[in-house]
Amino acid sequence: MRDRVLTGGARTTGVLLCLLLALLGAAWAARDLTAARPGAEVWWAWLGGARGPRDATAPVSSLLDPLLALGALTAAVTAVRGAVPAPVAAGALCSLGTATALLRAPLLWMPGVGRLPGTDTGLTSWAHRTVLAELALAAALLVVVAAGRRRAGRAGRHRGRSAHGLPEAALSAYGVVRAVPQAADPGRPGRPRKGPARTTAVLLAAAGLAVAGGELYRLLTSGADGYRTGLLGDATDLPALPPPPAHWHAAVLVLLALGAAVAALRRASWARPAAVAAAALLCADGAGVLALAAHTGRAARLAALSGPDRLELATAAFLVLSGLTALLVAFRRGVPDPAVGAGGALAYGSAPGAARPPHAPPPPSTLPPGW
Protein backbone atom coordinates (compact mmCIF):
# COMPACT_ATOMS: atom_id res chain seq x y z
CA MET A 1 0.00 0.00 0.00
CA ARG A 2 1.32 3.41 -0.92
CA ASP A 3 2.18 5.97 1.73
CA ARG A 4 -0.39 8.60 2.61
CA VAL A 5 0.29 12.16 3.65
CA LEU A 6 -1.73 14.85 5.36
CA THR A 7 -3.27 17.50 3.18
CA GLY A 8 -2.61 21.15 3.87
CA GLY A 9 -6.14 21.62 5.15
CA ALA A 10 -5.76 18.73 7.59
CA ARG A 11 -2.53 20.18 8.95
CA THR A 12 -4.11 23.60 9.41
CA THR A 13 -7.18 22.15 11.12
CA GLY A 14 -5.01 20.00 13.36
CA VAL A 15 -2.94 23.01 14.40
CA LEU A 16 -6.08 24.97 15.31
CA LEU A 17 -7.42 22.07 17.38
CA CYS A 18 -4.07 21.76 19.18
CA LEU A 19 -4.06 25.47 19.98
CA LEU A 20 -7.56 25.20 21.43
CA LEU A 21 -6.48 22.29 23.63
CA ALA A 22 -3.44 24.22 24.78
CA LEU A 23 -5.57 27.27 25.54
CA LEU A 24 -7.97 25.27 27.73
CA GLY A 25 -5.22 23.69 29.81
CA ALA A 26 -3.19 26.89 30.11
CA ALA A 27 -6.24 28.94 31.13
CA TRP A 28 -7.06 26.75 34.13
CA ALA A 29 -3.42 26.50 35.18
CA ALA A 30 -3.08 30.29 34.98
CA ARG A 31 -6.29 30.71 36.99
CA ASP A 32 -4.95 28.54 39.81
CA LEU A 33 -1.54 30.20 39.84
CA THR A 34 -3.20 33.62 40.00
CA ALA A 35 -5.85 32.81 42.62
CA ALA A 36 -3.72 30.73 44.98
CA ARG A 37 -1.68 32.41 47.70
CA PRO A 38 1.14 31.47 47.65
CA GLY A 39 1.53 30.01 44.19
CA ALA A 40 3.75 27.18 45.46
CA GLU A 41 0.66 25.54 46.97
CA VAL A 42 -0.63 24.92 43.46
CA TRP A 43 2.50 23.03 42.52
CA TRP A 44 2.31 20.69 45.51
CA ALA A 45 -1.42 20.25 45.02
CA TRP A 46 -0.76 19.25 41.41
CA LEU A 47 1.72 16.63 42.61
CA GLY A 48 -0.87 15.09 44.93
CA GLY A 49 -0.04 16.83 48.19
CA ALA A 50 -2.53 18.03 50.77
CA ARG A 51 -4.79 20.77 49.47
CA GLY A 52 -5.71 23.87 51.39
CA PRO A 53 -9.18 25.05 52.41
CA ARG A 54 -11.94 24.40 49.91
CA ASP A 55 -12.58 28.02 49.05
CA ALA A 56 -12.36 30.25 46.01
CA THR A 57 -8.55 30.14 46.08
CA ALA A 58 -8.38 26.33 46.03
CA PRO A 59 -6.73 24.85 42.92
CA VAL A 60 -9.27 23.69 40.38
CA SER A 61 -6.87 21.97 37.98
CA SER A 62 -4.29 19.19 38.21
CA LEU A 63 -0.83 18.57 36.79
CA LEU A 64 -2.50 17.10 33.73
CA ASP A 65 -3.65 20.53 32.54
CA PRO A 66 -0.21 22.13 32.00
CA LEU A 67 1.11 18.84 30.64
CA LEU A 68 -1.64 18.63 28.03
CA ALA A 69 -1.13 22.30 27.17
CA LEU A 70 2.59 21.75 26.61
CA GLY A 71 1.93 18.62 24.57
CA ALA A 72 -0.64 20.43 22.44
CA LEU A 73 1.80 23.24 21.68
CA THR A 74 4.47 20.70 20.71
CA ALA A 75 2.05 18.91 18.38
CA ALA A 76 0.99 22.21 16.83
CA VAL A 77 4.59 23.21 16.11
CA THR A 78 5.26 19.77 14.62
CA ALA A 79 2.22 19.90 12.35
CA VAL A 80 2.77 23.46 11.15
CA ARG A 81 6.36 22.87 10.03
CA GLY A 82 6.43 21.93 6.38
CA ALA A 83 9.84 20.26 6.72
CA VAL A 84 8.39 17.65 9.10
CA PRO A 85 7.36 14.50 7.17
CA ALA A 86 3.63 13.93 7.00
CA PRO A 87 3.69 10.62 8.96
CA VAL A 88 5.45 12.36 11.86
CA ALA A 89 2.92 15.21 11.86
CA ALA A 90 0.04 12.73 11.76
CA GLY A 91 1.63 10.73 14.57
CA ALA A 92 1.97 13.83 16.74
CA LEU A 93 -1.70 14.74 16.28
CA CYS A 94 -2.85 11.17 16.91
CA SER A 95 -0.67 10.83 20.00
CA LEU A 96 -2.08 14.03 21.47
CA GLY A 97 -5.66 13.02 20.69
CA THR A 98 -5.24 9.51 22.09
CA ALA A 99 -3.52 10.63 25.30
CA THR A 100 -6.11 13.36 25.91
CA ALA A 101 -9.04 11.01 25.34
CA LEU A 102 -7.64 8.27 27.58
CA LEU A 103 -6.65 10.59 30.43
CA ARG A 104 -9.87 12.63 30.39
CA ALA A 105 -12.34 9.79 29.77
CA PRO A 106 -12.82 8.81 33.47
CA LEU A 107 -14.16 12.28 34.21
CA LEU A 108 -17.32 11.33 32.31
CA TRP A 109 -18.42 8.80 34.92
CA MET A 110 -16.55 9.81 38.10
CA PRO A 111 -19.03 11.10 40.73
CA GLY A 112 -18.44 14.60 41.98
CA VAL A 113 -16.59 15.89 38.91
CA GLY A 114 -17.13 19.61 38.61
CA ARG A 115 -18.22 19.90 42.25
CA LEU A 116 -15.92 21.99 44.42
CA PRO A 117 -17.41 22.81 47.83
CA GLY A 118 -17.17 26.43 48.85
CA THR A 119 -16.67 27.81 45.35
CA ASP A 120 -18.88 29.44 42.81
CA THR A 121 -21.10 26.98 40.97
CA GLY A 122 -20.39 28.82 37.73
CA LEU A 123 -16.69 28.00 38.06
CA THR A 124 -17.31 24.30 38.53
CA SER A 125 -19.79 24.32 35.66
CA TRP A 126 -17.13 25.76 33.38
CA ALA A 127 -14.70 23.11 34.60
CA HIS A 128 -17.11 20.34 33.61
CA ARG A 129 -17.64 21.93 30.20
CA THR A 130 -13.89 22.05 29.76
CA VAL A 131 -13.70 18.28 30.16
CA LEU A 132 -16.34 17.77 27.49
CA ALA A 133 -14.62 20.26 25.18
CA GLU A 134 -11.25 18.53 25.55
CA LEU A 135 -12.77 15.15 24.74
CA ALA A 136 -14.51 16.63 21.70
CA LEU A 137 -11.27 18.23 20.49
CA ALA A 138 -9.38 14.96 20.99
CA ALA A 139 -11.97 13.09 18.93
CA ALA A 140 -11.82 15.80 16.26
CA LEU A 141 -8.03 15.41 16.04
CA LEU A 142 -8.35 11.70 15.35
CA VAL A 143 -11.05 12.31 12.74
CA VAL A 144 -8.98 14.99 10.99
CA VAL A 145 -5.95 12.70 10.74
CA ALA A 146 -8.06 9.78 9.49
CA ALA A 147 -9.99 11.82 6.92
CA GLY A 148 -7.35 14.33 5.82
CA ARG A 149 -4.96 11.99 4.06
CA ARG A 150 -4.23 11.41 0.39
CA ARG A 151 -1.86 9.26 -1.59
CA ALA A 152 1.70 10.53 -1.56
CA GLY A 153 2.33 9.67 -5.19
CA ARG A 154 0.26 12.58 -6.48
CA ALA A 155 2.23 15.28 -4.77
CA GLY A 156 5.24 15.25 -7.06
CA ARG A 157 3.27 15.88 -10.25
CA HIS A 158 1.89 19.16 -8.98
CA ARG A 159 5.37 20.39 -8.12
CA GLY A 160 6.70 19.83 -11.62
CA ARG A 161 8.45 16.53 -10.93
CA SER A 162 8.60 13.44 -13.04
CA ALA A 163 7.92 9.91 -11.93
CA HIS A 164 11.64 9.49 -11.19
CA GLY A 165 11.70 12.40 -8.73
CA LEU A 166 13.63 14.74 -11.07
CA PRO A 167 12.55 18.29 -11.88
CA GLU A 168 11.02 18.58 -15.33
CA ALA A 169 13.70 21.12 -16.29
CA ALA A 170 16.37 18.49 -15.68
CA LEU A 171 14.83 15.97 -18.06
CA SER A 172 16.17 17.86 -21.09
CA ALA A 173 19.56 18.39 -19.46
CA TYR A 174 22.48 16.00 -19.41
CA GLY A 175 25.19 15.37 -16.91
CA VAL A 176 22.96 14.88 -13.88
CA VAL A 177 25.33 14.01 -11.08
CA ARG A 178 22.94 13.54 -8.16
CA ALA A 179 19.20 13.85 -8.49
CA VAL A 180 18.00 12.69 -5.06
CA PRO A 181 19.95 12.89 -1.78
CA GLN A 182 21.05 9.44 -0.75
CA ALA A 183 19.91 8.51 2.75
CA ALA A 184 22.18 6.36 4.86
CA ASP A 185 19.15 4.46 6.14
CA PRO A 186 16.48 4.17 3.42
CA GLY A 187 12.86 3.78 4.37
CA ARG A 188 9.67 5.71 4.80
CA PRO A 189 10.21 9.38 5.63
CA GLY A 190 10.20 10.11 9.35
CA ARG A 191 10.66 6.57 10.58
CA PRO A 192 13.34 6.16 13.28
CA ARG A 193 16.71 4.72 12.43
CA LYS A 194 17.61 1.24 13.63
CA GLY A 195 19.81 2.13 16.60
CA PRO A 196 17.58 4.80 18.16
CA ALA A 197 14.48 2.70 17.45
CA ARG A 198 15.81 -0.28 19.39
CA THR A 199 17.00 1.90 22.26
CA THR A 200 13.64 3.64 22.52
CA ALA A 201 11.75 0.34 22.37
CA VAL A 202 13.82 -1.21 25.18
CA LEU A 203 13.51 1.84 27.45
CA LEU A 204 9.77 2.29 26.98
CA ALA A 205 9.06 -1.43 27.30
CA ALA A 206 11.07 -1.61 30.53
CA ALA A 207 9.30 1.44 31.97
CA GLY A 208 5.88 0.13 30.97
CA LEU A 209 6.55 -3.27 32.51
CA ALA A 210 7.79 -1.61 35.71
CA VAL A 211 4.53 0.32 36.03
CA ALA A 212 2.52 -2.80 35.19
CA GLY A 213 4.38 -4.75 37.87
CA GLY A 214 3.53 -2.12 40.47
CA GLU A 215 -0.13 -2.25 39.48
CA LEU A 216 -0.17 -6.03 39.75
CA TYR A 217 1.24 -5.77 43.28
CA ARG A 218 -1.44 -3.23 44.25
CA LEU A 219 -4.14 -5.48 42.83
CA LEU A 220 -2.95 -8.37 44.97
CA THR A 221 -2.66 -6.28 48.14
CA SER A 222 -5.82 -4.16 47.88
CA GLY A 223 -8.15 -6.77 46.46
CA ALA A 224 -10.51 -6.55 43.53
CA ASP A 225 -12.96 -4.12 45.15
CA GLY A 226 -10.32 -1.69 46.35
CA TYR A 227 -8.50 -1.79 43.05
CA ARG A 228 -11.74 -1.19 41.15
CA THR A 229 -12.31 1.99 43.15
CA GLY A 230 -8.83 3.22 42.27
CA LEU A 231 -9.38 2.28 38.64
CA LEU A 232 -12.79 3.83 38.02
CA GLY A 233 -12.37 6.64 40.55
CA ASP A 234 -14.25 8.43 43.29
CA ALA A 235 -14.11 12.19 42.88
CA THR A 236 -15.99 13.16 46.02
CA ASP A 237 -12.88 14.86 47.47
CA LEU A 238 -11.08 16.04 44.36
CA PRO A 239 -10.81 19.38 42.53
CA ALA A 240 -13.25 20.37 39.84
CA LEU A 241 -10.81 19.21 37.15
CA PRO A 242 -9.38 16.12 38.86
CA PRO A 243 -6.62 13.95 37.47
CA PRO A 244 -7.61 10.47 36.33
CA PRO A 245 -7.83 7.78 39.03
CA ALA A 246 -4.44 6.49 40.12
CA HIS A 247 -4.82 2.99 38.70
CA TRP A 248 -6.42 4.31 35.50
CA HIS A 249 -3.53 6.73 35.06
CA ALA A 250 -1.04 3.89 35.51
CA ALA A 251 -2.93 1.72 33.02
CA VAL A 252 -2.81 4.54 30.45
CA LEU A 253 0.94 4.91 30.99
CA VAL A 254 1.43 1.18 30.44
CA LEU A 255 -0.70 1.22 27.30
CA LEU A 256 1.05 4.24 25.79
CA ALA A 257 4.54 3.02 26.71
CA LEU A 258 4.10 -0.51 25.37
CA GLY A 259 2.31 0.74 22.25
CA ALA A 260 5.11 3.20 21.50
CA ALA A 261 7.71 0.49 22.19
CA VAL A 262 6.10 -1.86 19.66
CA ALA A 263 5.87 0.96 17.12
CA ALA A 264 9.55 1.83 17.64
CA LEU A 265 10.56 -1.82 17.33
CA ARG A 266 8.72 -2.03 14.01
CA ARG A 267 10.16 1.37 13.02
CA ALA A 268 6.75 2.76 12.15
CA SER A 269 6.62 6.25 10.70
CA TRP A 270 4.61 7.52 13.66
CA ALA A 271 6.80 5.83 16.29
CA ARG A 272 8.85 8.91 17.18
CA PRO A 273 5.97 11.22 18.22
CA ALA A 274 4.28 8.33 20.04
CA ALA A 275 7.51 7.65 21.92
CA VAL A 276 7.88 11.34 22.79
CA ALA A 277 4.36 11.45 24.25
CA ALA A 278 4.79 8.25 26.28
CA ALA A 279 8.27 9.18 27.51
CA ALA A 280 7.16 12.66 28.57
CA LEU A 281 4.25 11.28 30.61
CA LEU A 282 6.46 8.64 32.23
CA CYS A 283 9.13 11.18 33.11
CA ALA A 284 6.60 13.65 34.52
CA ASP A 285 4.93 10.94 36.60
CA GLY A 286 8.20 9.75 38.12
CA ALA A 287 9.47 13.28 38.72
CA GLY A 288 6.24 14.20 40.49
CA VAL A 289 6.52 11.25 42.87
CA LEU A 290 10.15 12.06 43.69
CA ALA A 291 9.47 15.78 44.18
CA LEU A 292 6.56 15.10 46.52
CA ALA A 293 8.64 12.57 48.47
CA ALA A 294 11.40 15.14 48.91
CA HIS A 295 8.88 17.79 49.98
CA THR A 296 7.21 15.58 52.59
CA GLY A 297 10.50 14.21 53.93
CA ARG A 298 10.01 10.62 52.78
CA ALA A 299 13.19 10.71 50.74
CA ALA A 300 15.22 11.86 53.76
CA ARG A 301 14.19 8.84 55.81
CA LEU A 302 14.52 6.32 53.02
CA ALA A 303 16.06 3.67 55.28
CA ALA A 304 13.07 3.79 57.63
CA LEU A 305 10.50 3.33 54.88
CA SER A 306 8.78 0.05 54.24
CA GLY A 307 9.71 -2.16 51.33
CA PRO A 308 6.77 -1.14 49.12
CA ASP A 309 7.46 2.56 49.72
CA ARG A 310 11.11 2.18 48.79
CA LEU A 311 10.13 0.19 45.73
CA GLU A 312 7.74 2.98 44.73
CA LEU A 313 10.51 5.59 44.94
CA ALA A 314 12.92 3.33 43.06
CA THR A 315 10.33 2.82 40.32
CA ALA A 316 9.78 6.58 40.11
CA ALA A 317 13.52 7.17 39.72
CA PHE A 318 13.68 4.53 37.00
CA LEU A 319 10.76 6.16 35.19
CA VAL A 320 12.55 9.51 35.23
CA LEU A 321 15.79 8.07 33.87
CA SER A 322 14.23 5.83 31.24
CA GLY A 323 11.65 8.42 30.21
CA LEU A 324 14.19 11.22 29.87
CA THR A 325 16.59 9.02 27.90
CA ALA A 326 13.83 7.78 25.61
CA LEU A 327 12.67 11.36 25.13
CA LEU A 328 16.11 12.50 24.01
CA VAL A 329 16.56 9.51 21.70
CA ALA A 330 13.10 9.90 20.15
CA PHE A 331 13.81 13.56 19.36
CA ARG A 332 16.67 12.55 17.06
CA ARG A 333 16.06 12.97 13.36
CA GLY A 334 14.58 10.04 11.51
CA VAL A 335 14.88 8.99 7.89
CA PRO A 336 14.73 12.15 5.74
CA ASP A 337 12.14 12.73 3.07
CA PRO A 338 13.78 12.08 -0.33
CA ALA A 339 11.48 14.62 -1.96
CA VAL A 340 12.95 17.42 0.16
CA GLY A 341 15.99 18.86 -1.57
CA ALA A 342 15.47 16.88 -4.77
CA GLY A 343 15.26 20.16 -6.68
CA GLY A 344 18.97 20.70 -6.16
CA ALA A 345 19.94 18.27 -8.93
CA LEU A 346 23.36 19.00 -10.38
CA ALA A 347 22.83 19.20 -14.12
CA TYR A 348 24.30 21.18 -16.97
CA GLY A 349 23.31 21.77 -20.54
CA SER A 350 19.92 23.31 -19.81
CA ALA A 351 21.37 26.83 -19.89
CA PRO A 352 23.90 28.33 -22.33
CA GLY A 353 27.39 28.53 -20.89
CA ALA A 354 26.57 26.40 -17.85
CA ALA A 355 29.71 25.09 -16.18
CA ARG A 356 30.19 21.36 -15.93
CA PRO A 357 30.09 20.11 -12.32
CA PRO A 358 33.08 18.15 -11.02
CA HIS A 359 33.20 14.48 -11.99
CA ALA A 360 30.38 14.95 -14.50
CA PRO A 361 30.54 13.00 -17.77
CA PRO A 362 31.56 15.01 -20.85
CA PRO A 363 28.76 16.32 -23.04
CA PRO A 364 27.92 14.46 -26.23
CA SER A 365 29.76 15.72 -29.29
CA THR A 366 27.85 17.88 -31.78
CA LEU A 367 30.30 17.09 -34.62
CA PRO A 368 29.48 14.52 -37.30
CA PRO A 369 31.04 11.06 -36.93
CA GLY A 370 34.61 10.79 -38.23
CA TRP A 371 35.73 14.32 -37.39
Side-chain angles (χ1 to χ4, degrees):
M1 186 176 63
R2 303 181 68 177
D3 293 343
R4 292 180 177 270
V5 298
L6 283 177
T7 61
R11 282 191 182 236
T12 304
T13 305
V15 170
L16 293 178
L17 294 175
C18 290
L19 292 179
L20 289 176
L21 273 174
L23 181 62
L24 290 176
W28 284 109
R31 180 266 169 195
D32 287 347
L33 291 174
T34 304
R37 296 292 186 271
E41 294 181 358
V42 178
W43 169 250
W44 299 120
W46 283 350
L47 295 181
R51 294 177 177 265
R54 312 290 283 183
D55 53 18
T57 63
V60 178
S61 61
S62 66
L63 184 60
L64 186 60
D65 294 278
L67 284 179
L68 288 180
L70 183 60
L73 288 178
T74 304
V77 172
T78 303
V80 79
R81 293 183 59 192
V84 176
V88 177
L93 297 178
C94 282
S95 299
L96 175 64
T98 302
T100 302
L102 290 177
L103 292 172
R104 287 303 197 192
L107 276 65
L108 294 177
W109 63 75
M110 288 172 62
V113 171
R115 183 177 63 203
L116 187 61
T119 60
D120 185 10
T121 56
L123 182 65
T124 56
S125 176
W126 276 108
H128 187 63
R129 294 175 186 175
T130 300
V131 174
L132 299 178
E134 287 179 338
L135 289 173
L137 291 174
L141 274 176
L142 299 178
V143 172
V144 165
V145 174
R149 296 187 299 172
R150 57 168 168 77
R151 292 189 181 276
R154 301 177 184 175
R157 300 184 183 274
H158 297 285
R159 291 195 299 264
R161 298 188 181 278
S162 66
H164 301 285
L166 291 175
E168 292 179 355
L171 292 178
S172 60
Y174 49 83
V176 176
V177 179
R178 189 178 182 184
V180 180
Q182 300 295 324
D185 190 4
R188 291 183 179 180
R191 69 185 306 193
R193 301 183 186 274
K194 291 182 180 180
R198 293 172 182 172
T199 303
T200 303
V202 170
L203 291 173
L204 292 180
L209 292 177
V211 177
E215 289 303 300
L216 180 60
Y217 173 79
R218 294 181 181 91
L219 174 62
L220 297 177
T221 55
S222 61
D225 294 336
Y227 190 84
R228 186 182 300 109
T229 302
L231 181 65
L232 300 180
D234 182 7
T236 55
D237 191 27
L238 288 175
L241 280 175
H247 299 327
W248 181 278
H249 181 74
V252 171
L253 290 181
V254 172
L255 181 62
L256 294 178
L258 295 183
V262 173
L265 196 61
R266 298 182 59 184
R267 299 181 62 204
S269 301
W270 50 272
R272 290 170 54 232
V276 168
L281 290 175
L282 289 169
C283 187
D285 184 74
V289 173
L290 293 179
L292 186 61
H295 178 67
T296 57
R298 292 177 60 199
R301 55 178 190 275
L302 184 62
L305 295 178
S306 61
D309 290 339
R310 282 182 286 181
L311 183 60
E312 179 186 2
L313 295 181
T315 302
F318 176 72
L319 292 184
V320 172
L321 293 177
S322 59
L324 184 59
T325 306
L327 192 65
L328 296 177
V329 174
F331 264 120
R332 297 185 60 182
R333 291 182 178 273
V335 175
D337 190 349
V340 178
L346 298 178
Y348 65 99
S350 57
R356 187 176 70 178
H359 309 294
S365 176
T366 57
L367 299 177
W371 282 75

